[in-house]
Amino acid sequence: MRPARDVAVVAFAQSDHRRRTDELSEVEMVMPVLHQVLASTGLRTGDIGFTCSGSSDYLAGRAFSFTMALDGVGAWPPIAESHVEMDGAWALYEAWVKILTGEADTALVYSYGKSSPGEVRDVLTRQLDPYYLAPLWPDSVALAALQAQALIDAGDTDEPGLAAIAARSRDSATANPHAQVRGARPQGDYLVGPLRTGDCPPVGDGAAAVVLAAGDAARDLCERPAWIRGMDHRIEAHGPGVRDLTDSPSARLAAERAGAFEAPVDTAELHAPFSSQEVVLRKALRLSDGVRVNPSGGALAANPVMAAGLIRIGEAAAAIHRGESDRALAHATSGPCLQQNLVAVLEGEPS
């Protein structure tokens, strides 16, 4: 989808991602991030035209859990608000469309997830087909291992190649103060072959927030806005068994519709929680060797479920804000084995 109106990411904030935040509720985890992202623009809650959040009731363990997190936004003044039961990247998509329609000029998007209270590998099985797959309890790591083995069998990668992806990602995260895992670490033992511990994302808690603004308002709020030149999301068949796990047609189509192939990108923030998924995405998104992939460390350095995709967009935008990137691609995924994919293309104005 291409915009009929100029809309930009003007601010991004995230928490320090940690293995456990037992002392914090979701509200206490989200509030500092919301305060930080608004303070960076000088906006107050009453200045925001639309608010949208992303989270998961399955992860929180209770229905309508997002209503409690609204305490972090504030009860007054009243706001126009929505919520998606998805990663915050899809909440950003909804807010972007809201601004494109002219119903708002600014939007606050936030998402959060606490994976530490339960076994997130088992919780994510609830995404599977309830009749044939979910009763077998194939957890998220086991499904990712099937994808990794398919890539190895196809000759697309090998175990040293996967280890190199993990090492590069966590080395890049050394400069990211918010990352949960930074610097070199052993690949470790097999978790589910051929994936070792180092090929898998850390389990942890975290939150993120983004502010969107249109036209001149964006230029007033940010010295170098990250303009969203296109964004699209696509989904594939629910069952992993009826897909080619070595490819991602939905990611490729989303990138095409977002305009990613019309000009080279210099930075790509990929939501690839497993090292093997970066192999699939690099091919599907036609990323050349010269593209900086996950300079933040990506999801292998911090993977707060329901916020990791929004963080990829935020990190890509932040690179543009800092002048480190001119044209960036951001990707988010949901479901087993890259089932659903969202791609955004962001550009900075010439310096």
Side-chain angles (χ1 to χ4, degrees), residues 94-186:
E94 180 177 338
W96 180 62
V97 171
K98 193 83 166 182
I99 294 177
L100 291 182
T101 63
E103 294 188 33
D105 293 322
T106 56
L108 172 64
V109 180
Y110 67 95
S111 61
Y112 58 91
K114 291 189 69 168
S115 299
S116 60
E119 293 293 332
V120 68
R121 290 172 60 177
D122 293 336
V123 170
L124 292 178
T125 63
R126 302 302 89 193
Q127 296 176 317
L128 301 175
D129 170 80
Y131 301 105
Y132 298 102
L133 277 183
L136 301 176
W137 288 95
D139 65 41
S140 55
V141 178
L143 291 169
L146 289 175
Q147 186 172 40
Q149 189 62 57
L151 288 164
I152 291 172
D153 292 344
D156 288 346
T157 190
D158 53 23
E159 289 192 37
L162 298 181
I165 290 172
R168 189 210 73 237
S169 297
R170 288 167 179 141
D171 183 61
S172 296
T174 302
N176 182 354
H178 304 290
Q180 183 179 337
V181 179
R182 296 192 292 271
R185 61 181 289 181

Side-chain angles (χ1 to χ4, degrees), residues 14-102:
Q14 61 181 312
S15 64
D16 291 338
H17 307 296
R18 297 160 48 193
R19 176 61 183 88
R20 304 193 70 89
T21 54
D22 295 339
E23 76 282 7
L24 299 176
S25 68
E26 282 90 344
V27 176
E28 292 169 324
M29 186 171 65
V30 167
M31 280 186 69
V33 176
L34 296 176
H35 291 167
Q36 181 183 344
V37 78
L38 289 174
S40 67
T41 62
L43 295 173
R44 293 183 290 186
T45 305
D47 300 322
I48 298 294
F50 180 65
T51 300
C52 196
S53 62
S55 65
S56 171
D57 283 352
Y58 282 111
L59 203 62
R62 57 181 179 273
F64 300 104
S65 61
F66 72 93
T67 58
M68 300 179 67
L70 281 170
D71 288 343
V73 179
W76 186 265
I79 61 172
E81 184 272 339
S82 184
H83 172 263
V84 298
E85 188 74 8
M86 290 281 285
D87 187 287
W90 277 264
L92 185 142
Y93 183 89
E94 180 177 338
W96 180 62
V97 171
K98 193 83 166 182
I99 294 177
L100 291 182
T101 63

Side-chain angles (χ1 to χ4, degrees), residues 1-3 96 227-232 257-259 343-346:
M1 181 177 177
R2 307 299 184 82
W96 180 62
W227 300 102
I228 301 174
R229 298 308 187 195
M231 184 158 37
D232 199 88
R257 296 299 175 86
V343 174
V345 176
L346 300 95

